Amino acid sequence: MDIDELLEELNTAYAEEWIAYYYYKWAASVVSGLSWPNVADELKRIADEEEEHAQELAERIIELGGEPERDFEDLVKIAKCRKIVFPKDYGDLKGFLKAVIEQGERCAIDGYMGIIKKLSPCYEKDLRTFHLIEHILSEEIQHEEAFENLL
Ligand SMILES: [Fe+2]
Ligand SMILES: [Fe+2]
């Protein structure tokens, strides 16, 4: 993968982390008024980890000579996981959890798997990016499990 393609992939991931952060915090707000404090707490905790991922990706993008996407409208355009659609009914706990699992975590896992596959053939050329993506991917898998455990 050449550097421009890598920067594009990292920026897509960066955008997706902010989008996940936004939707998880939104969902935490609307469910926290209901009797699901554990779900709201989990959504907040995981949203904060997504924000950390965005920061880690931004640092690496800058180290590689790129720039993290600066325009919020473009952020949504460059993301592949760009939306999480929650149930209209706030009482639909399963629907909320399924939305974050399928449209949030699984989409993120697919994206990071794709980057890992592209980096793998010559991972030793950029070990730091490889390890960062591996680290984020393992946290996304933990997120998926954490939400599944609440189902
Ligand atoms: Fe993430
Ligand atoms: Fe995640």
Side-chain angles (χ1 to χ4, degrees):
M1 186 161 26
D2 69 31
I3 186 74
D4 291 339
E5 190 188 354
L6 175 61
L7 284 168
E8 211 172 288
E9 296 273 1
L10 296 178
N11 244 322
T12 293
Y14 171 78
E16 289 168 352
E17 294 292 352
W18 276 120
I19 292 167
Y21 172 83
Y22 170 77
Y23 282 107
Y24 291 7
K25 287 278 180 167
W26 182 88
S29 308
V30 304
V31 305
S32 65
L34 304 165
S35 50
W36 309 333
N38 53 338
V39 176
D41 287 349
E42 216 38 1
L43 281 162
K44 280 185 213 153
R45 179 184 73 82
I46 292 176
D48 288 336
E49 290 197 2
E50 310 303 9
E51 196 255 336
E52 256 177 54
H53 295 164
Q55 298 310 328
E56 288 165 340
L57 288 160
E59 278 168 28
R60 191 69 193 130
I61 289 167
I62 291 164
E63 283 166 3
L64 291 168
E67 183 186 67
E69 181 54 58
R70 63 165 75 190
D71 185 296
F72 201 84
E73 283 178 3
D74 289 339
L75 201 82
V76 178
K77 286 182 200 146
I78 63 172
K80 288 180 191 129
C81 317
R82 50 172 69 123
K83 200 176 169 94
I84 298 178
V85 181
F86 291 109
K88 288 257 184 311
D89 174 8
Y90 292 170
D92 181 5
L93 171 63
K94 276 195 175 180
F96 267 80
L97 289 169
K98 278 186 183 162
V100 294
I101 291 168
E102 287 162 18
Q103 300 166 58
E105 299 304 334
R106 286 194 191 143
C107 189
I109 290 167
D110 285 351
Y112 289 117
M113 290 279 217
I115 302 177
I116 288 275
K117 275 185 199 149
K118 285 186 185 173
L119 287 174
S120 292
C122 45
Y123 72 93
E124 71 282 358
K125 280 192 188 157
D126 187 353
L127 271 177
R128 294 194 53 215
T129 303
F130 190 81
H131 286 313
L132 173 64
I133 299 302
E134 207 176 36
H135 150 78
I136 297 177
L137 174 61
S138 80
E139 291 195 346
E140 305 303 359
I141 292 167
Q142 287 169 28
H143 296 167
E144 185 193 24
E145 283 170 6
F147 287 133
E148 271 173 350
N149 289 338
L150 291 168
L151 264 181

